[in-house]
C-alpha cells in the first residue's frame, strides 16, 4: 500500500513533533481515514523527505512525529525554464500539474498580447498549491520555482540557457532540427488560447528562441507545454 505524502511549508527535523495545517489534517482524517500510529511521509519542497508517524488525532487537530530523513532525489538532470502564458483557470491548473510531473524546474506565468485574463484570475497562491499537490502525487521533493507573473517582453530579455524554444504551430521544424551540443538547460515559451502573435514569435526568435512545431494536430493551450516538455526531456533529459 502506498504511503501518503504531505507537503508542509515549515522546517522538518527528525525527532520533533509537528502540527498539521487544518486543510492537511482534514484530508488525513476525513479523506484518507488515517489513525494514530499510521505512517506517512512529509516534505517541505527543499529536497528530501521524512518518514513520519501520526501521533495524535483530536477532532480537527493532528500531530505527527517526524522520523528519519530519506534522501530521495527524483529531480531531472536537465534544468527546464517554462514561460507559460496565463490561460483559463482549469486549463492553467492542468498545465501546472502536468509540467510539475514532467520535472519542470522553473515556471513563469506570462502576460501576452492575446491574454484575456482578469486580475482575479492571477492566483499565485492557488498555483503554488496546485504545484505542491502535484509534487505530493508524483514523488518530487523539490518544488519547481514559481516566478511572479511577468510581461512576455521582460521574460524574453532574461535568463541564459543552452537552448531556447518557442512552440510555433506554423513551422515545420521539429525538435530534432534544433542545433545543439551538450545541453544542461532549456527555456521554453508557450502561448495562450489565442496563440502568440506573429510579432511575439519574431521577438522570441530575435531573443534566440528556436521555433519548433508539435505535429500536424492543433493542441490546446494547456497541452502544448506538456508536449514540449516531454519532447525536451526525451531529447536531453531523463525520459
Amino acid at each position: 500500500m502506498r504511503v501518503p505524502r504531505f507537503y508542509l511549508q515549515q522546517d522538518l527535523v527528525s525527532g520533533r513533533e509537528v502540527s498539521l495545517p487544518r486543510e492537511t489534517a482534514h484530508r488525513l482524517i476525513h479523506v484518507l481515514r488515517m489513525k494514530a500510529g499510521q505512517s506517512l511521509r512529509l516534505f517541505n519542497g527543499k529536497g528530501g523527505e521524512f518518514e513520519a508517524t501520526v501521533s495524535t488525532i483530536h477532532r480537527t487537530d493532528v500531530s505527527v512525529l517526524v522520523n528519519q530523513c530519506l534522501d530521495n532525489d527524483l529531480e531531472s538532470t536537465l534544468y527546464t525554464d517554462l514561460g507559460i502564458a496565463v490561460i483559463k483557470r482549469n486549463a492553467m491548473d492542468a498545465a501546472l500539474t502536468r509540467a510539475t510531473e514532467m520535472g519542470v524546474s522553473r515556471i513563469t506565468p506570462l502576460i501576452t498580447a492575446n491574454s484575456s485574463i482578469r486580475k482575479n484570475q492571477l492566483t499565485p497562491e492557488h498555483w503554488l498549491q496546485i504545484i505542491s499537490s502535484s509534487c505530493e502525487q508524483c514523488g518530487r521533493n523539490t518544488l519547481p520555482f514559481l516566478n511572479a507573473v511577468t510581461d512576455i517582453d521582460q521574460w524574453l530579455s532574461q535568463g541564459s540557457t543552452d537552448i531556447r524554444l518557442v512552440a510555433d504551430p506554423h513551422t515545420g521544424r521539429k525538435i530534432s532540427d534544433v542545433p545543439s551540443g551538450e545541453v544542461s538547460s532549456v527555456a521554453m515559451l508557450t502561448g495562450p488560447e489565442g496563440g502568440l502573435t506573429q510579432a511575439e514569435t519574431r521577438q522570441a526568435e530575435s531573443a534566440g528562441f528556436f521555433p519548433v512545431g508539435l505535429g500536424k494536430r492543433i493542441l490546446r493551450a494547456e497541452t502544448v507545454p506538456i508536449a514540449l516538455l516531454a519532447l525536451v526531456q526525451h531529447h536531453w533529459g531523463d525520459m
Side-chain angles (χ1 to χ4, degrees), residues 78-82 103-106 185-188 229 232-233:
L78 180 71
Y79 178 87
T80 47
D81 184 3
L82 175 64
V104 70
S105 307
R106 182 174 183 261
S185 58
V186 180
M188 291 155 286
L229 269 164
V232 164
Q233 287 286 23

Side-chain angles (χ1 to χ4, degrees), residues 78 90 128 130 170 213:
L78 180 71
N90 290 343
L128 183 60
I130 294 295
H170 305 295

Side-chain angles (χ1 to χ4, degrees), residues 29-186:
I29 297 169
H30 299 289
V31 178
L32 298 176
R33 307 285 184 181
M34 294 185 70
K35 307 294 183 184
Q38 288 190 279
S39 298
L40 62 152
R41 292 190 178 180
L42 304 174
F43 70 103
N44 60 11
K46 299 178 182 178
E49 65 179 352
F50 289 80
E51 293 181 334
T53 307
V54 179
S55 300
T56 59
I57 298 176
H58 180 67
R59 295 185 180 178
T60 60
D61 299 324
V62 177
S63 295
V64 173
L65 177 63
V66 182
N67 299 319
Q68 179 184 4
C69 179
L70 305 174
D71 188 21
N72 295 336
D73 184 11
L74 301 185
E75 294 306 297
S76 174
T77 54
L78 180 71
Y79 178 87
T80 47
D81 184 3
L82 175 64
I84 176 174
V86 179
I87 50 182
K88 294 177 181 177
R89 182 183 175 98
N90 290 343
M92 190 71 174
D93 289 356
L96 294 177
T97 297
R98 305 295 176 243
T100 302
E101 291 175 8
M102 297 300 298
V104 70
S105 307
R106 182 174 183 261
I107 301 169
T108 305
L110 301 176
I111 300 300
T112 66
N114 286 334
S115 297
S116 56
I117 301 300
R118 298 185 299 274
K119 284 188 177 180
N120 63 359
Q121 292 175 292
L122 301 177
T123 53
E125 290 185 3
H126 171 73
W127 294 336
L128 183 60
Q129 184 179 36
I130 294 295
I131 289 170
S132 61
S133 294
S134 183
C135 282
E136 287 182 349
Q137 182 275 324
C138 73
R140 290 184 66 177
N141 293 318
T142 302
L143 263 63
F145 180 78
L146 179 63
N147 205 8
V149 178
T150 305
D151 184 83
I152 187 173
D153 295 342
Q154 182 180 349
W155 186 78
L156 286 173
S157 66
Q158 297 174 347
S160 177
T161 53
D162 297 329
I163 298 290
R164 309 183 95 185
L165 305 175
V166 54
D168 182 2
H170 305 295
T171 183
R173 289 186 282 188
K174 302 177 181 178
I175 200 165
S176 56
D177 297 322
V178 178
S180 64
E182 186 174 340
V183 176
S184 62
S185 58
V186 180

Side-chain angles (χ1 to χ4, degrees), residues 6 8 10 18-22 24-25 28 40 42 60 62-64:
F6 298 92
L8 296 185
Q10 58 182 283
V18 297
S19 297
L20 298 186
R22 185 170 297 275
T24 304
L28 183 146
L40 62 152
L42 304 174
T60 60
V62 177
S63 295
V64 173

